[in-house]
Amino acid sequence: MLARPGLPDFEYLKAESPQEVFNLLKDKGPDLKLMMGGTDLFVQMRDRDSGPGTLLDIKGLPGMQEIEFGKTVGLTLGAAVTLNQISAHKDIRKYYPVLCQAADTVGNYQLRNRATLGGNICNASPSADMAPALLIYDAELILESPGGERQLPVAEFWVGPGKIALKEDEYLKAIHFPPPPEGAVGQYYKLGRSKMGDLAIVGVGMLGYPDPETPAGLRFKIGINSTAPTPYRVPAVEDYLAQHSLSDDVLSQAAEDAMDISAPIEDIRATALYQKKMVRNLTKKGLKEIWGSLK
Ligand SMILES: Cc1cc2nc3c(=O)[nH]c(=O)nc-3n(C[C@H](O)[C@H](O)[C@H](O)COP(=O)(O)OP(=O)(O)OC[C@H]3O[C@@H](n4cnc5c(N)ncnc54)[C@H](O)[C@@H]3O)c2cc1C
């Protein structure tokens, strides 16, 4: 038997309306998979040599490819917006730069022409590169079902590797980001086995911004991937930073604490110990850089 036998047979359908999606989800159940760029889906179908009988392409549904931005309302991205569209958008680059930095690290340029933000979120890989940016910008997911829309903070959407809090009759329609804090500076650091085209061994996204109410005069948000069953924030570290007058020692302690909270498993890309130490190093590097530009 070939190690990679190729794609199993499947039926391809393109949805014309949300109602058609709901009807098909009901009729076909787990034998149907929603599809966007297919860059995760096809690899999984190929490697497992089995898969859904039907792929339902939902990229063309209303709102799925829209990008809306306003300084007071924030940013709303349709779930089918591609990573290259994010990277090329001047308002996203200006107001949510960590989204662009993260998008630019995913695979390669050709892949990013197909890979969508919604697919990256719904695939729920612990190493998803867009996840730290979504966490630090407090993304809210807009989920569509026959009963209407509901919103869910992105952190509540990931429940385990490959597992999401999506009901059987729902799909992800869009992602909303509130306006970023005034004066925010951000950074995404990704460590892979090579500089280009590898999944994250560790990725740390950080945002810092002035907050005169805190003893530090600043507040930080930190989102980390690849070192726990789901991407996560580290509120205890964020609070520690806000509550202390910042110094090199305080940043080092915060980075140590982030390392202690991380819970990676050994995998083909790195040992758990190496991943933990890299959480510390990347966190420290990012905090220092952001602190430096906010001083
Ligand atoms: C060569 C290669 C390199 C890669 N490198 C990286 C990398 O560096 N970093 C990284 O994070 N990822 C990487 N990926 C993974 C992948 O490209 C991204 O996760 C991508 O963003 C997935 O988007 P997609 O549109 O292709 O999703 P799809 O494959 O179409 O869908 C992914 C999953 O989400 C579900 N889904 C999609 N849209 C919806 C929706 N609207 N509602 C509900 N469920 C939905 C699908 O059913 C499927 O289970 C790589 C993949 C390849 C093949």
Side-chain angles (χ1 to χ4, degrees):
M1 194 179 86
L2 291 171
R4 290 188 166 156
L7 282 177
D9 290 339
F10 62 90
E11 170 191 31
Y12 170 86
L13 299 175
K14 194 162 171 54
E16 303 291 342
S17 69
Q19 195 53 50
E20 192 184 348
V21 179
F22 304 139
N23 293 344
L24 282 163
L25 283 171
K26 196 165 170 211
D27 290 352
K28 296 194 181 271
D31 194 41
L32 178 141
K33 272 277 195 188
L34 300 176
M35 177 190 145
M36 305 280 259
T39 62
D40 275 316
L41 212 43
F42 285 129
V43 174
Q44 289 158 7
M45 288 167 68
R46 178 200 65 185
D47 287 354
R48 286 173 199 159
D49 189 25
S50 68
T54 302
L55 293 186
L56 181 57
D57 187 336
I58 57 171
K59 291 195 292 290
L61 292 179
M64 294 292 269
Q65 310 207 12
E66 277 171 23
I67 301 180
E68 284 176 1
F69 172 72
K71 279 187 194 165
T72 53
V73 289
L75 173 70
T76 303
L77 298 175
V81 168
T82 68
L83 302 184
N84 274 348
Q85 284 175 299
I86 290 175
S87 178
H89 197 283
K90 70 173 181 11
D91 289 324
I92 305 180
R93 207 155 261 285
K94 180 166 179 193
Y95 294 100
Y96 304 88
V98 188
L99 281 175
C100 300
Q101 291 172 19
D104 289 344
T105 72
V106 173
N108 53 56
Y109 187 86
Q110 289 81 355
L111 180 98
R112 299 194 291 269
N113 266 344
R114 283 205 65 84
T116 64
L117 179 60
N120 197 260
I121 295 170
C122 292
N123 192 55
S125 164
S127 65
D129 275 306
M130 299 309 291
L134 290 154
L135 287 166
I136 61 177
Y137 286 126
D138 295 315
E140 289 271 329
L141 305 187
I142 300 166
L143 306 170
E144 181 91 356
S145 75
E149 279 180 16
R150 72 173 170 124
Q151 288 207 13
L152 193 69
V154 72
E156 293 174 29
F157 190 65
W158 297 307
V159 292
K163 294 200 168 61
I164 51 178
L166 192 74
K167 296 184 186 149
E168 283 169 7
D169 59 354
E170 279 179 328
Y171 67 87
L172 172 64
K173 180 181 175 187
I175 303 99
H176 178 71
F177 301 86
E182 199 68 37
V185 175
Q187 191 65 54
Y188 179 59
Y189 281 121
K190 170 180 179 174
L191 179 73
R193 287 169 301 185
S194 63
K195 277 213 188 306
M196 298 288 288
D198 195 22
L199 301 179
I201 291 173
V202 174
V204 185
M206 283 158 281
L207 200 67
Y209 54 96
D211 182 349
E213 313 247 301
T214 65
L218 299 177
R219 199 170 268 285
F220 288 91
K221 296 181 182 191
I222 305 171
I224 306 176
N225 65 19
S226 228
T227 48
T230 63
Y232 56 99
R233 287 264 296 268
V234 282
V237 178
E238 296 171 7
D239 287 346
Y240 171 79
L241 285 163
Q243 294 312 320
H244 288 77
S245 178
L246 294 181
S247 67
D248 213 45
D249 286 348
V250 168
L251 299 190
S252 296
Q253 185 59 52
E256 290 280 333
D257 293 348
M259 173 178 77
D260 291 342
I261 291 167
S262 68
I265 50 166
E266 212 92 349
D267 64 24
I268 52 158
R269 293 198 293 281
T271 64
L273 181 63
Y274 180 67
Q275 282 174 285
K276 280 185 93 69
K277 292 194 168 178
M278 289 305 115
V279 168
R280 180 192 61 196
N281 293 1
L282 297 186
T283 304
K284 174 88 190 282
K285 187 175 167 183
L287 288 175
K288 267 186 99 161
E289 194 171 301
I290 292 171
W291 183 43
S293 44
L294 286 172
K295 266 203 273 191

